Amino acid sequence: MSQALVRIAAGWLLGLMLAVAGAIVAINLVNSTVASPQQPVREYIDALQNGDGGKALGLLRATVPPSNAAMLDGTALQTAASRLSNVQIGEPEERPDNRVAVPMDYTIDGSRLSTEFVLQKTGTEWIFFNTWAFVPSRLPTVDITVVNGSEANINGVPVNMPNGRNSFAVFYPGEYEASLDGQYFSAPASRATVTGRDTPVAPLNLLTQATGKLKEDVSAKVREFLDGCAAEAQKEQRLQPDCPFYYASNNRVQDGSIKWSVTEYPNVSIEPFDGRWVVSPLDGKAKVEALQQNSFTGVWYPLDEEVDFSFTTRLDVSGDTVKVTPQLSF
């Protein structure tokens, strides 16, 4: 063989060896990036951040427990994932049965947290490229209760709370914030951070309170009732009207001289009790004025007395409607 042929053969052999080496490097590169166990994790996190619950559920290969699904898609899901920052996906760690654990570190509300995803090798594509999938699992749930309420807001989404409680299936990792910001009832936000499928999650308890608006509206109705009662008592010229207030006297009172007025309106306090909202007993003062005659001397003189009164009411709130029903006993 001539020297020229030897050089050509050597060149082809070198090129072939470089091509094989390049192919091996390329295969290893693909298996460490797009065909790595980390890739399904990246795709899963992207699906969470895009609010694509269907894709996230398919990637995670998770079953949904009996629960409310309001947190599994759209705005609620995006909000849960948006609270993750400084996300770092670590190197896979070998586990038995062709499985690996992929750690992921991240920050939520300033706390550094971690989640471990378990994946299994499912085969290869084009002979050389590995395929990986999450080991099937079950989604965790977050239980939420609300005092004397039938609705709440979770991650910006209104949800129903039958009998004041509900259970929500959730993806992980993520943060879920429940609150109530209604016209008449509100509750400060309460948060739960879910880091994994088996991580215990404490229930969120919304401590509902009556808003200032409800107290204002109830106070207005109480004032309206008392003013109306005083006006009716004056119209009927009665010292003992069908009102929370009255005055007892053995003296004769001149017809047309009786005048009632409320001098101190009750302070309204609304509290939860036995699964409903109640108004605390209402205490106030009323004034009666009249011209009376002493039964012994026959002398006429002014009656000017302030009397204490107290009564209870029944409160009914339905949507934007407030009803206050006085409970009087005679």
Side-chain angles (χ1 to χ4, degrees), residues 54-75:
K55 182 177 181 180
L57 191 64
L59 287 166
L60 196 60
R61 299 205 294 172
T63 57
V64 179
S67 56
N68 190 297
M71 298 297 103
L72 298 183
D73 200 39
T75 298

Side-chain angles (χ1 to χ4, degrees), residues 106-113:
Y106 49 92
T107 300
I108 294 181
D109 291 339
S111 297
R112 196 64 178 165
L113 304 170

